[in-house]
Amino acid sequence: MKVLLGISTFADLTDPKMGSERQAIGYANALGELGHEVHVVNILKTAPDWGKQFDIVHLVNASGKKGPYQQIIDTAHLLGKPVVLSPVYWPLNELLYQIAKQRNYDPGENPQIFHAFHEDVAGLKICIREADWLLPNAELEMATIFGLTDQMGMMESVPLNERYTVVPNAVDVEGEILPAIADDTPLPPEMQATLADRFVICVARMEIRKNQHRLVQAMEILWKDDPKLQLVMMGAINQDYVKTFESAIKGKNVVIAQPATAKDVLRLVKRSVCSVLPSLLETPGLVNLEAAAMGIPVAVSARGSVKEYLGDGGHYCDPLNPESIAKAIREAMEAGTDAELMQHVRERFSYQRAAQIAEGVYNQLLEGSNA
Amino acid sequence: MRIAMVLSTIAAITNPTNGAERTAICLANALSRRGHETYITNLLNRTVDWDRDFDVLHIINAGGPKGPYLGAIQTARMLGIPVVTSTIYWPIDQQFEEQQKFLQWDSRKTAEYEGTIREWQKQTRLLFFESDVLIPNGIGEQEKIIELMEGDKALLTKYKNVPPFEVIPNAVDWEGEIVPALSTPEPLPEALEKKLADEFVLCVGRLEVRKNQIRLAAAMRMIWETDPDVQLVLVGRATPEYMNAVGGSWAELPILLHDETTPKRVLELMRRCTVYAQPSLLETPGLATMEAAALGRPIVVGVNGLEHECFDKHAYYCEPLVSADIAASIEAALIEARSGENTKKGNERAAHMHGHYTYEQTAGAVDSVYRSLQRGGE
């Protein structure tokens, strides 16, 4: 089968660091292993070569703009090609509220940043309406999409509940997780020199959504009994955001590390005593799955669909409450490796399995269009 | 005729402040006055409503990513709709060198930017080859486009020819902006009024390397040695990287910074300024400068873009990389502003602009392109 995998993103697809982009490449590789010919195209930067006679169009919603997705759906439908959409959607109300609070916006104002968010949601809604099939990554995500479309009074030719299949996010067990576990190469000396024996790691862009400032407040609580516990934060830096907690980490047991390749990130996660991600929103956060697949205990926000993935194996917190974040980290460290969770994640959330589910949907749609 | 006019831009198009976006809106309005039905779409946010049965797809090549344009062209082709592209293109090699210098980019940042530029050139080339007619706004721009397109032999072989060109200059909105700005000027806020000097040199544009405000300020320092009361007023959004490069060097100087603002306030500042200076590394030729010229103000402009083609003898030219040259041109413009000739030269400048650069003229020329495409591109 020839699959056009379209993604609209400002990020680089050749060495992706962001979740949606890594997921798209992961799906593409796994579909390739199943014998399909997959063409990954960043539709924000170029247009697909329709001369390749794709059988199916699979769009993966990423952080880029939504107009290009709509354009691809239009063209695909003109050519009679079915379109599936991985919507990667979650309501952003709380996040917007936090941004407004931090930047002292008047709630009545509609600054450009909010306008862009709303514009993107409106654009995504059109894609959801026009796509032939949706591939949310959790039942909970689909529930929020029902909410979105109800709220917007969207009319469907085929109701949403009759055209979706959950395709979970995945980790690359064979290609990344197992090699990282087996890799004994020491970390680069400059990195090694900064690391304490015991550290908790937060791998994420430093921004309001990822909530590192409250993580630092949680660490203050933990440091009272455990001053040697280090916090390592790895990811690209939003300067404005980091300024808000710069003074709080000055002189503290904190390391800020530059973003690294997926391989190096996993090597570092493997060394940690706990992976923590107290985000205001995760769906469910690739790093959470990767840490769990490596047997590293995970402290995560109770928001989003992460519970659907980690079940009782995750250590959950209220991301707005530093006490709760500290408690989740403490519990995670005490619990240590959860072998059952590790096995569950490796088996259930592999790209191979995700690709098989997606393939089933493709076949079903093609049978329908040929009937 | 039904026209799908499209842009790819991260800027707002409902109340635009950027040049390409403002041009699109004004051109659409002028085309409507000629009886056409024009629908503007920002392709980054929405797709064209193809059910409207368009006669022409008109691409306004704004600063956004090119993928959406290429996608829209594909659909237009399937539907048999001809494609016209307003090119808005100029190579940015010099700007790139200056960015490295002023912003002190390391090798990683430089390599990243080089990659972005290569990609931008590749997609821009493709966009131009895929169009049926290209509309640059000057002969100089057309030459640069040919250089760009001929730079890729493989594409040239594939497409056989560069599409035909029709040079149509940018315009200013006389009825909507210039005439009201002169007849019923918008009063400036009291706070701003208090800060303005009697004489000031105005420059409107994002504070960034391309607009070259650091050298403009350096030029003003030379002027202030003998003429200390002339203020420099910079209107535009400050880019943090560029302001880092400025550092504290503008402290204690008679420089007034004003964030980007409404077109009405900008026009009033232009009407009031002594000299309008836009010594950019590149302008094609710059909507703000065209408006200042239309208001009759003495204008100082660079020599690297389309300025000469547009303003001819009605501007003071400078080499934007040389602060002393910028200063000399500003001094000459100040002399005009303070002399008895002021009104005469100003009127001539305004008449030149009115004679050549109205949206009615632009829309008429664009209309001819559309009609020739309808007749099969004769």
Side-chain angles (χ1 to χ4, degrees), chain B residues 275-295:
Chain B
V275 166
Y276 183 82
Q278 194 87 69
S280 305
L281 301 180
L282 169 65
E283 289 293 346
T284 61
L287 187 54
T289 320
M290 290 177 80
E291 287 169 339
L295 289 165

Side-chain angles (χ1 to χ4, degrees), chain A residues 44-45 48 50 65 67 70-71 75, chain B residues 44-45 47 65 67 71 74-75:
Chain A
L44 191 61
K45 298 188 176 168
W50 293 99
K65 306 299 288 183
Q70 296 163 30
Q71 175 63 50
T75 311
Chain B
L44 278 191
N45 295 330
T47 186
Q74 286 177 334
T75 311

Side-chain angles (χ1 to χ4, degrees), chain A residues 10 42-50 65-68 70-72 74-75 78-79 112 115 118-120 122-124 126 258, chain B residues 9-12 14 42-50 65-68 70-76 78-79 108 119 123 126:
Chain A
F10 288 98
N42 184 350
I43 53 177
L44 191 61
K45 298 188 176 168
T46 191
D49 176 1
W50 293 99
K65 306 299 288 183
K66 310 308 169 206
Q70 296 163 30
Q71 175 63 50
I72 296 292
D74 276 354
T75 311
L78 269 174
L79 294 168
Q112 185 64 28
H115 179 73
H118 294 310
E119 192 68 67
D120 281 352
L124 179 62
I126 294 171
Q258 289 291 314
Chain B
T9 175
I10 52 167
T14 43
N42 182 357
L43 294 175
L44 278 191
N45 295 330
R46 291 288 181 278
T47 186
V48 174
D49 179 0
W50 296 104
K66 308 302 173 208
L70 296 168
I73 292 177
Q74 286 177 334
T75 311
M78 287 173 201
L79 298 170
R108 192 180 63 86
E119 190 61 27
Q123 301 307 336
L126 207 52

Side-chain angles (χ1 to χ4, degrees), chain B residues 161-211:
Chain B
N161 288 310
V162 170
F165 287 90
E166 186 66 41
V167 173
I168 301 176
N170 278 355
V172 288
D173 184 0
W174 285 88
E175 300 308 320
E177 294 189 333
I178 303 300
V179 173
L182 290 168
S183 58
T184 48
E186 185 183 83
L188 297 174
E190 208 179 313
L192 174 58
E193 196 70 69
K194 277 184 186 160
K195 290 181 197 162
L196 275 184
D198 289 343
E199 286 192 318
F200 64 93
V201 172
L202 176 68
C203 176
V204 178
R206 221 167 137 84
L207 275 73
E208 61 180 5
V209 168
R210 179 162 80 89
K211 298 287 182 184

Side-chain angles (χ1 to χ4, degrees), chain A residues 137-149:
Chain A
N137 60 43
E139 286 291 351
L140 198 59
E141 184 190 351
M142 200 57 212
T144 66
I145 290 172
F146 287 136
L148 171 76
T149 51

Side-chain angles (χ1 to χ4, degrees), chain A residues 49-71:
Chain A
D49 176 1
W50 293 99
K52 292 197 187 289
Q53 303 290 329
F54 305 112
D55 297 296
I56 197 128
V57 175
H58 183 164
L59 301 175
V60 178
N61 182 33
S63 55
K65 306 299 288 183
K66 310 308 169 206
Y69 291 115
Q70 296 163 30
Q71 175 63 50

